[in-house]
Amino acid sequence: MDTNVLLDFLMRRPPFAVAAAELFQLAEDRKIWLYCSSLSFSQAHYVLRKVAGSSEARALLVEIADIVTIVAIDSRNVHDALRSSFGDFEDALQHFAAIAEVDPALEAIVTRDPKGFAAGALPVLAPPAALAAALG
């Protein structure tokens, strides 16, 4: 799950929050598995602390950390991202962390910025499409 979808949910950003909330609910119910990179937690905290304060940002992220599997960004991901043809370095880091994850259930990147992941090897789904796939 890309950072923008995580923030849509946590900040209840309309109209995007609805599909994001449904995905997180499915994950909380253990009907699907969501993966977020450690980078997403850092970026989400940075944004959330500006609008809600650091304590509230941490509290929100603690709840999310119990629902998702956190995927680390490691040195191999950084090197791969630096050498990639991705136009956006952050998206490259997210992509290479995802494909390094050994869980075969990891099927797609969920994002509102599909063009940012065009250079990647994984399918890319917008949150409504990911929700439809999860329910379908």
Side-chain angles (χ1 to χ4, degrees), residues 45 48-63:
H45 181 268
L48 290 168
R49 74 181 169 89
K50 290 183 174 202
V51 295
S54 185
S55 294
E56 180 65 19
R58 285 177 185 243
L60 289 168
L61 291 171
V62 163
E63 291 179 31

Side-chain angles (χ1 to χ4, degrees), residues 42-101:
S42 173
Q43 292 174 323
H45 181 268
Y46 179 80
V47 171
L48 290 168
R49 74 181 169 89
K50 290 183 174 202
V51 295
S54 185
S55 294
E56 180 65 19
R58 285 177 185 243
L60 289 168
L61 291 171
V62 163
E63 291 179 31
I64 295 300
D66 290 337
I67 297 171
V68 303
T69 299
I70 300 171
V71 177
I73 302 285
D74 63 18
S75 62
R76 180 180 61 178
N77 305 143
V78 172
H79 285 284
D80 289 344
L82 288 168
R83 292 184 190 103
S84 76
S85 61
F86 275 76
D88 185 298
F89 183 64
E90 174 199 340
D91 291 345
L93 287 171
Q94 299 277 26
H95 170 77
F96 286 105
I99 64 171
E101 184 63 28

